[in-house]
Amino acid sequence: MQAQSTIESNRFPPGDLAIWVFILAELAAFGAFFGAYAFTRMRNVEMFNQYQATLDSDAALINTFALITSSYFVVRAVAAIREDDSRGCVRWLLAAMGMGVLFLVVKGHEYAHHIEEGIRLSTNTFYMFYLSLTFFHFMHVIMGMVILAAVVVKANRGGYSDREHTGVETGASYWHMVDLVWLILFPLVYIMR
Amino acid sequence: MTRRTTLGIRACTWVWLFMMGLTLTTYLIGQFTLGGLGVSLTVLAFALIKGQMVGDYFMGLKRVRGFWRWPVSLWLFLPGGLIGAAFALVG
């Protein structure tokens, strides 16, 4: 029985399979967005380079550190629950959510600055891509926070154990996807010229 | 904590630190306003390496066999290839 369980866990990714179908759909959408950005840039290289230089790369660095670190904290949460440590799981998830809040605050500050400067989706093609891509991702961070919060509530009630923790792995997989997308978005929009 | 869990956490801790280092390097490249195809492709390669590490270690796909081992790698390859091609065509 144990061997069968091990083989099964190796054939499928951690968490509910449905979230993986959802993750692949999300990745496909972001992938198409990235491709559209790169090929639109081909026809507007100077404009993209000029306006990319106006972005706050310090904020982007902080946000990249925040998401990578939150993903690591989620890894620790999954490891804790696999050891039947619900309290540890909750603590690591709350730490991950703290990093998520940091991301939202920093990104929100960036948006507020853009709004003050009168930058809109219609300002130019670069800002259209920048604002829509990052805001699409921003919404995914919020969605991930909601999922992690739901997992925290259940974990806090002792709803997961070393034997049954699919929910923790499902939330973790979604959160890692949010991190994964940002890892491409950061250099593409802020650095590559 | 079991030995397997400890080893897994240790590997993920190194991966986390390595990704933080690659991120800082990417940022510094941006700070020095370095441009050009070689630099852009290097930065893109850093991002793809980090993405693969998230898939392998954080998502746990390194231990998965069969179909589900590959979607994240394929996703990195396709948009990564498109982005690289678009930058290479501009020169």
Side-chain angles (χ1 to χ4, degrees):
Chain A
M1 192 66 182
Q2 181 63 38
Q4 193 176 19
S5 164
T6 305
I7 289 166
E8 196 171 47
S9 70
N10 283 340
R11 283 183 57 216
F12 295 101
D16 195 310
L17 206 54
I19 198 72
W20 281 93
V21 175
F22 188 60
I23 285 171
L24 294 191
E26 298 278 28
L27 288 178
F30 274 107
F33 227 148
F34 292 156
Y37 173 97
F39 278 90
T40 305
R41 181 186 172 276
M42 280 175 65
R43 293 192 299 273
N44 308 277
V45 175
E46 284 186 14
M47 189 251 278
F48 270 55
N49 287 349
Q50 178 189 343
Y51 288 102
Q52 184 191 56
T54 68
L55 300 182
D56 187 349
S57 55
D58 294 350
L61 175 71
I62 293 168
N63 274 347
T64 310
F65 280 163
L67 282 189
I68 290 173
T69 303
S70 73
S71 244
Y72 172 70
F73 288 166
V74 165
V75 167
R76 298 299 303 259
V78 171
I81 201 62
R82 283 177 180 161
E83 295 293 320
D84 207 20
D85 177 10
S86 284
R87 282 190 172 189
C89 176
V90 168
R91 276 198 297 270
W92 283 113
L93 286 175
L94 288 175
M97 289 177 70
M99 289 289 119
V101 169
L102 174 64
F103 178 93
L104 294 176
V105 168
V106 171
K107 197 71 209 153
H109 182 73
E110 265 190 278
Y111 287 142
H113 186 61
H114 293 321
I115 290 167
E116 274 176 23
E117 290 183 323
I119 294 166
R120 303 283 183 275
L121 280 171
S122 56
T123 300
N124 60 42
T125 311
F126 173 78
Y127 281 123
M128 187 275 288
F129 270 105
Y130 162 74
L131 289 172
S132 48
L133 248 177
T134 57
F135 193 71
F136 191 39
H137 179 265
F138 187 85
M139 296 306 289
H140 282 75
V141 175
I142 293 174
M143 176 74 167
M145 298 275 286
V146 171
I147 292 171
L148 290 186
V151 173
V152 164
V153 168
K154 187 170 175 180
N156 200 40
R157 290 177 185 156
Y160 301 111
S161 67
D162 55 342
R163 290 186 172 197
E164 174 42 47
H165 48 264
T166 307
V168 182
E169 292 178 340
T170 300
S173 298
Y174 185 87
W175 190 255
H176 294 317
M177 183 273 289
V178 171
D179 178 29
L180 181 62
V181 168
W182 181 261
L183 290 179
I184 306 296
L185 202 160
F186 163 58
L188 178 63
V189 175
Y190 287 87
I191 306 292
M192 291 171 70
R193 58 177 67 96
Chain B
M1 197 171 274
T2 63
R3 188 167 183 274
R4 189 182 172 192
T5 303
T6 306
L7 289 175
I9 288 174
R10 193 174 296 168
C12 286
T13 302
W14 282 112
V15 163
W16 169 55
L17 293 172
F18 182 67
M19 289 200 296
M20 298 288 267
L22 280 185
T23 299
L24 186 61
T25 307
T26 300
Y27 167 80
L28 291 174
I29 286 171
Q31 285 299 294
F32 290 116
T33 57
L34 296 174
L37 182 60
V39 173
S40 290
L41 293 183
T42 302
V43 166
L44 179 63
F46 286 172
L48 298 178
I49 289 167
K50 286 191 284 182
Q52 188 64 47
M53 287 183 142
V54 167
D56 281 351
Y57 292 92
F58 287 8
M59 288 175 153
L61 298 179
K62 199 174 185 216
R63 295 188 300 272
V64 177
R65 296 193 188 101
F67 172 80
W68 289 100
R69 174 73 180 89
W70 303 111
V72 167
S73 301
L74 189 65
W75 179 78
L76 288 166
F77 179 76
L78 287 178
L82 280 177
I83 294 165
F87 275 76
L89 286 171
V90 173

Short mmCIF file of all heavy atoms in Angstrom, two decimals, chain A residues 63-93:
data_model
loop_
_atom_site.label_atom_id
_atom_site.label_comp_id
_atom_site.label_asym_id
_atom_site.label_seq_id
_atom_site.Cartn_x
_atom_site.Cartn_y
_atom_site.Cartn_z
N ASN A 63 10.22 43.47 -4.97
CA ASN A 63 9.11 42.57 -5.22
C ASN A 63 9.56 41.18 -5.64
O ASN A 63 8.92 40.18 -5.31
CB ASN A 63 8.17 43.18 -6.26
CG ASN A 63 7.15 44.09 -5.61
OD1 ASN A 63 6.99 44.07 -4.39
ND2 ASN A 63 6.46 44.89 -6.40
N THR A 64 10.65 41.12 -6.41
CA THR A 64 11.17 39.81 -6.82
C THR A 64 11.70 39.06 -5.60
O THR A 64 11.42 37.86 -5.42
CB THR A 64 12.27 39.96 -7.89
OG1 THR A 64 11.78 40.82 -8.92
CG2 THR A 64 12.65 38.62 -8.48
N PHE A 65 12.45 39.76 -4.75
CA PHE A 65 12.91 39.15 -3.51
C PHE A 65 11.72 38.67 -2.66
O PHE A 65 11.75 37.58 -2.09
CB PHE A 65 13.73 40.16 -2.68
CG PHE A 65 15.15 40.34 -3.13
CD1 PHE A 65 15.89 41.45 -2.73
CD2 PHE A 65 15.78 39.42 -3.95
CE1 PHE A 65 17.21 41.63 -3.13
CE2 PHE A 65 17.10 39.58 -4.35
CZ PHE A 65 17.81 40.69 -3.95
N ALA A 66 10.68 39.51 -2.61
CA ALA A 66 9.51 39.16 -1.80
C ALA A 66 8.83 37.88 -2.30
O ALA A 66 8.49 36.99 -1.50
CB ALA A 66 8.51 40.32 -1.80
N LEU A 67 8.66 37.79 -3.61
CA LEU A 67 7.95 36.60 -4.14
C LEU A 67 8.79 35.33 -4.05
O LEU A 67 8.27 34.26 -3.72
CB LEU A 67 7.50 36.85 -5.58
CG LEU A 67 6.25 37.72 -5.76
CD1 LEU A 67 5.78 37.70 -7.21
CD2 LEU A 67 5.11 37.29 -4.85
N ILE A 68 10.10 35.45 -4.33
CA ILE A 68 10.97 34.27 -4.22
C ILE A 68 10.98 33.79 -2.76
O ILE A 68 10.87 32.59 -2.48
CB ILE A 68 12.41 34.60 -4.69
CG1 ILE A 68 12.45 34.81 -6.20
CG2 ILE A 68 13.37 33.46 -4.31
CD1 ILE A 68 13.80 35.30 -6.71
N THR A 69 11.09 34.75 -1.85
CA THR A 69 11.14 34.39 -0.42
C THR A 69 9.80 33.80 0.04
O THR A 69 9.77 32.82 0.78
CB THR A 69 11.50 35.64 0.42
OG1 THR A 69 12.75 36.15 -0.05
CG2 THR A 69 11.62 35.30 1.89
N SER A 70 8.70 34.37 -0.44
CA SER A 70 7.40 33.83 -0.04
C SER A 70 7.23 32.41 -0.57
O SER A 70 6.68 31.54 0.11
CB SER A 70 6.26 34.72 -0.55
OG SER A 70 6.09 34.59 -1.93
N SER A 71 7.73 32.16 -1.78
CA SER A 71 7.66 30.80 -2.33
C SER A 71 8.46 29.82 -1.46
O SER A 71 8.04 28.68 -1.23
CB SER A 71 8.22 30.79 -3.76
OG SER A 71 7.23 30.46 -4.68
N TYR A 72 9.63 30.29 -1.01
CA TYR A 72 10.45 29.45 -0.14
C TYR A 72 9.72 29.16 1.17
O TYR A 72 9.72 28.04 1.67
CB TYR A 72 11.80 30.14 0.12
CG TYR A 72 12.65 29.44 1.14
CD1 TYR A 72 13.24 28.21 0.87
CD2 TYR A 72 12.85 30.01 2.40
CE1 TYR A 72 14.01 27.56 1.82
CE2 TYR A 72 13.62 29.37 3.36
CZ TYR A 72 14.19 28.14 3.07
OH TYR A 72 14.94 27.50 4.02
N PHE A 73 9.07 30.19 1.72
CA PHE A 73 8.31 30.00 2.96
C PHE A 73 7.18 28.99 2.77
O PHE A 73 6.88 28.19 3.67
CB PHE A 73 7.73 31.34 3.44
CG PHE A 73 8.76 32.30 4.00
CD1 PHE A 73 8.43 33.64 4.20
CD2 PHE A 73 10.04 31.88 4.32
CE1 PHE A 73 9.38 34.53 4.72
CE2 PHE A 73 10.99 32.76 4.83
CZ PHE A 73 10.65 34.09 5.03
N VAL A 74 6.57 29.02 1.60
CA VAL A 74 5.50 28.05 1.30
C VAL A 74 6.07 26.62 1.24
O VAL A 74 5.43 25.67 1.69
CB VAL A 74 4.76 28.44 -0.01
CG1 VAL A 74 3.92 27.30 -0.54
CG2 VAL A 74 3.88 29.67 0.24
N VAL A 75 7.27 26.51 0.67
CA VAL A 75 7.95 25.20 0.66
C VAL A 75 8.11 24.69 2.09
O VAL A 75 7.85 23.52 2.40
CB VAL A 75 9.33 25.31 -0.03
CG1 VAL A 75 10.19 24.07 0.23
CG2 VAL A 75 9.17 25.52 -1.53
N ARG A 76 8.51 25.61 2.98
CA ARG A 76 8.70 25.23 4.40
C ARG A 76 7.36 24.84 5.04
O ARG A 76 7.30 23.95 5.90
CB ARG A 76 9.33 26.39 5.18
CG ARG A 76 10.72 26.80 4.69
CD ARG A 76 11.75 25.70 4.80
NE ARG A 76 11.91 25.19 6.13
CZ ARG A 76 12.90 25.53 6.97
NH1 ARG A 76 13.82 26.38 6.57
NH2 ARG A 76 12.98 24.99 8.17
N ALA A 77 6.28 25.52 4.64
CA ALA A 77 4.96 25.18 5.17
C ALA A 77 4.54 23.78 4.77
O ALA A 77 4.02 23.01 5.59
CB ALA A 77 3.93 26.20 4.67
N VAL A 78 4.79 23.44 3.52
CA VAL A 78 4.45 22.09 3.03
C VAL A 78 5.30 21.04 3.77
O VAL A 78 4.79 20.01 4.20
CB VAL A 78 4.66 21.99 1.50
CG1 VAL A 78 4.51 20.54 1.03
CG2 VAL A 78 3.66 22.88 0.77
N ALA A 79 6.59 21.35 3.94
CA ALA A 79 7.47 20.42 4.67
C ALA A 79 6.98 20.24 6.10
O ALA A 79 7.02 19.12 6.64
CB ALA A 79 8.91 20.96 4.66
N ALA A 80 6.51 21.32 6.71
CA ALA A 80 6.04 21.24 8.11
C ALA A 80 4.81 20.33 8.21
O ALA A 80 4.74 19.47 9.09
CB ALA A 80 5.72 22.64 8.63
N ILE A 81 3.86 20.50 7.32
CA ILE A 81 2.64 19.69 7.43
C ILE A 81 2.91 18.23 7.08
O ILE A 81 2.26 17.33 7.61
CB ILE A 81 1.48 20.28 6.57
CG1 ILE A 81 0.13 19.76 7.08
CG2 ILE A 81 1.65 19.95 5.09
CD1 ILE A 81 -0.22 20.13 8.49
N ARG A 82 3.90 17.98 6.23
CA ARG A 82 4.27 16.59 5.94
C ARG A 82 4.87 15.91 7.17
O ARG A 82 4.93 14.69 7.25
CB ARG A 82 5.28 16.54 4.77
CG ARG A 82 4.61 16.74 3.43
CD ARG A 82 5.61 16.76 2.29
NE ARG A 82 4.94 16.95 1.02
CZ ARG A 82 5.54 17.36 -0.09
NH1 ARG A 82 6.84 17.61 -0.10
NH2 ARG A 82 4.85 17.51 -1.22
N GLU A 83 5.33 16.75 8.10
CA GLU A 83 5.84 16.23 9.39
C GLU A 83 4.77 16.34 10.48
O GLU A 83 5.08 16.24 11.66
CB GLU A 83 7.08 17.02 9.80
CG GLU A 83 8.27 16.86 8.86
CD GLU A 83 8.83 15.45 8.87
OE1 GLU A 83 8.91 14.85 9.96
OE2 GLU A 83 9.19 14.94 7.79
N ASP A 84 3.52 16.61 10.05
CA ASP A 84 2.37 16.71 10.96
C ASP A 84 2.50 17.90 11.92
O ASP A 84 1.98 17.87 13.03
CB ASP A 84 2.20 15.40 11.76
CG ASP A 84 0.73 15.21 12.17
OD1 ASP A 84 -0.14 15.83 11.54
OD2 ASP A 84 0.48 14.45 13.12
N ASP A 85 3.19 18.95 11.48
CA ASP A 85 3.40 20.14 12.31
C ASP A 85 2.46 21.26 11.82
O ASP A 85 2.86 22.12 11.03
CB ASP A 85 4.88 20.55 12.22
CG ASP A 85 5.18 21.82 13.00
OD1 ASP A 85 4.30 22.28 13.77
OD2 ASP A 85 6.30 22.36 12.84
N SER A 86 1.23 21.23 12.30
CA SER A 86 0.24 22.21 11.85
C SER A 86 0.63 23.64 12.22
O SER A 86 0.47 24.57 11.43
CB SER A 86 -1.13 21.90 12.46
OG SER A 86 -1.72 20.81 11.81
N ARG A 87 1.13 23.80 13.45
CA ARG A 87 1.52 25.14 13.90
C ARG A 87 2.63 25.73 13.03
O ARG A 87 2.60 26.89 12.65
CB ARG A 87 1.98 25.10 15.35
CG ARG A 87 0.84 25.02 16.33
CD ARG A 87 1.34 25.22 17.74
NE ARG A 87 0.25 25.35 18.68
CZ ARG A 87 0.39 25.69 19.94
NH1 ARG A 87 1.59 25.93 20.42
NH2 ARG A 87 -0.64 25.79 20.74
N GLY A 88 3.62 24.88 12.75
CA GLY A 88 4.72 25.32 11.88
C GLY A 88 4.20 25.68 10.50
O GLY A 88 4.61 26.68 9.92
N CYS A 89 3.29 24.86 10.01
CA CYS A 89 2.69 25.11 8.69
C CYS A 89 2.01 26.48 8.67
O CYS A 89 2.22 27.27 7.75
CB CYS A 89 1.70 23.99 8.37
SG CYS A 89 0.81 24.22 6.82
N VAL A 90 1.22 26.75 9.70
CA VAL A 90 0.51 28.04 9.78
C VAL A 90 1.52 29.19 9.84
O VAL A 90 1.37 30.20 9.14
CB VAL A 90 -0.43 28.06 11.00
CG1 VAL A 90 -0.95 29.47 11.26
CG2 VAL A 90 -1.60 27.10 10.79
N ARG A 91 2.54 29.04 10.66
CA ARG A 91 3.54 30.11 10.80
C ARG A 91 4.23 30.43 9.47
O ARG A 91 4.37 31.59 9.08
CB ARG A 91 4.58 29.73 11.85
CG ARG A 91 4.16 30.04 13.27
CD ARG A 91 5.37 30.05 14.20
NE ARG A 91 6.03 28.76 14.28
CZ ARG A 91 5.71 27.82 15.18
NH1 ARG A 91 4.76 28.05 16.07
NH2 ARG A 91 6.35 26.68 15.21
N TRP A 92 4.63 29.37 8.75
CA TRP A 92 5.33 29.60 7.47
C TRP A 92 4.38 30.21 6.44
O TRP A 92 4.78 31.06 5.65
CB TRP A 92 5.91 28.28 6.94
CG TRP A 92 7.16 27.85 7.64
CD1 TRP A 92 7.32 26.76 8.44
CD2 TRP A 92 8.44 28.50 7.61
NE1 TRP A 92 8.61 26.69 8.90
CE2 TRP A 92 9.32 27.74 8.41
CE3 TRP A 92 8.92 29.64 6.98
CZ2 TRP A 92 10.66 28.10 8.59
CZ3 TRP A 92 10.25 30.00 7.17
CH2 TRP A 92 11.11 29.23 7.97
N LEU A 93 3.12 29.77 6.46
CA LEU A 93 2.15 30.33 5.51
C LEU A 93 1.89 31.81 5.81
O LEU A 93 1.78 32.62 4.88
CB LEU A 93 0.83 29.55 5.55
CG LEU A 93 0.86 28.17 4.87
CD1 LEU A 93 -0.47 27.45 5.08
CD2 LEU A 93 1.15 28.29 3.37
#
